[in-house]
Amino acid sequence: MQSNQANAAAVRAFRVLEVVSARVDGCTLAEIVEAIALPKQTVHRLVGQLQQAGLLMREPAGRRLQLGVRVERMALDALMNGPARQERRAILQRLVDTIGETCNLTALAGTDVVYLDRVETSWPLRMMLAPGSHVPLHATSSGKLLLSLLPKAQRERLIAQLSLRGYTGATIVDREVLERELVETRRRRIGINRSEHLRGLNAIAVPVMLDRQRACAAVAVQAPEGRMTLDDLLGQVPRLREAAEAIRATLA
């Protein structure tokens, strides 16, 4: 009996996490109660336990609950190591074979972008980064793209936390300039890195959309200016979008 009760409690706790993770701006306790149809007292107890474990967190001075850092880390690990990883890597490999330059799959991780997977070009001039590597949001095509597609309140909170360190003379280090760039990025749904992270290395990115409103990752291609101009990279957008749709299907 105790084992069955523990199993039931674990499933209920997981259901709470599912509900919160499905909402871009988190949930109130009342919204969780409505979604999972359990007594408020039971949900309150589950939420308290999840908060103590670092699996849920409450917004500062707010009533809304968000996923904790531990859940975000587990989600990234699941994407990097889950059963569809090889299928996604094959999609990236085909993209690299077609374009001839390094392509990667990225996601947001706090104030950084993390590489979920990456397939390197065979050219000798390349930047080697392993899956799990972190790069800055404000100086990368994927980072600016995923940041631009966040809901306004969440985007503004994240921008306020960025250090806006300058990596090259082209890095955006002014918040107002960054916000204007994000408006344009959101409009075109293409992230552009104009040698903002490494001098002479350009990149573009397109989103992997869970639905019409939510992006869960980005597919990007990068190349030295000596091999491909920014216009050359932008000419590859249709191929990147095809790859992004194929990757979205693996997540469905």
Side-chain angles (χ1 to χ4, degrees):
M1 178 64 72
Q2 288 182 345
S3 177
N4 289 339
Q5 289 176 344
N7 290 340
V11 171
R12 289 171 179 171
F14 186 77
R15 180 64 182 128
V16 171
L17 294 175
E18 280 187 320
V19 170
V20 177
S21 68
R23 310 287 182 93
V24 173
D25 284 329
C27 293
T28 64
L29 186 66
E31 289 170 339
I32 297 173
V33 170
E34 181 179 359
I36 64 177
L38 285 174
K40 182 177 180 179
Q41 183 178 0
T42 300
V43 174
H44 190 276
R45 184 177 67 254
L46 288 170
V47 165
Q49 292 170 345
L50 292 169
Q51 284 183 271
Q52 288 179 354
L55 301 174
L56 282 182
M57 58 181 288
R58 196 175 293 277
E59 290 182 347
R63 297 169 52 242
R64 306 192 74 79
L65 292 153
Q66 298 275 5
L67 295 179
V69 174
R70 288 183 65 188
V71 177
E72 290 186 351
R73 288 174 180 164
M74 184 178 70
L76 289 173
D77 287 341
L79 280 173
M80 291 174 63
N81 305 311
R85 178 180 182 274
Q86 292 304 320
E87 186 177 353
R88 290 192 289 270
R89 185 168 184 82
I91 294 167
L92 285 182
Q93 183 65 64
R94 289 195 295 271
L95 191 60
V96 173
D97 292 343
T98 301
I99 298 175
E101 297 293 346
T102 297
C103 296
N104 52 63
L105 177 66
T106 64
L108 288 177
T111 55
D112 292 333
V113 167
V114 63
Y115 285 102
L116 300 176
D117 206 350
R118 181 178 172 90
V119 177
E120 298 283 351
T121 177
S122 59
W123 288 97
L125 179 59
R126 53 187 171 174
M127 183 180 69
M128 300 293 291
L129 282 172
S133 298
H134 287 241
V135 291
L137 279 180
H138 70 290
T140 55
S141 59
S142 294
K144 288 188 290 181
L145 175 66
L146 294 172
L147 186 57
S148 76
L149 295 173
L150 291 175
K152 181 180 179 181
Q154 190 176 357
R155 182 172 67 249
E156 289 177 348
R157 285 197 302 269
L158 203 47
I159 291 173
Q161 297 174 36
L162 298 178
S163 64
L164 297 188
R165 171 187 167 189
Y167 293 89
T168 73
T171 308
I172 298 175
V173 295
D174 181 279
R175 294 186 198 282
E176 291 186 3
V177 174
L178 177 60
E179 288 171 354
R180 289 197 295 270
E181 170 82 357
L182 295 178
V183 169
E184 181 62 18
T185 301
R186 184 182 182 92
R187 181 194 65 78
R188 65 181 174 238
R189 293 210 170 189
I190 302 171
I192 297 178
N193 171 5
R194 305 171 181 86
S195 297
E196 295 162 51
H197 187 213
L198 291 171
R199 187 176 292 109
L201 190 70
N202 295 324
I204 63 168
V206 302
V208 178
M209 303 298 295
L210 283 178
D211 51 40
R212 291 177 61 87
Q213 301 297 324
R214 295 183 299 160
C216 64
V219 175
V221 58
Q222 62 185 51
E225 291 177 347
R227 287 204 302 260
M228 293 188 81
T229 66
L230 186 55
D231 284 342
D232 291 334
L233 287 175
L234 289 170
Q236 303 297 331
V237 165
R239 292 185 175 91
L240 263 68
R241 286 186 167 146
E242 288 176 6
E245 177 59 24
I247 287 173
R248 185 206 64 79
T250 72
L251 299 173

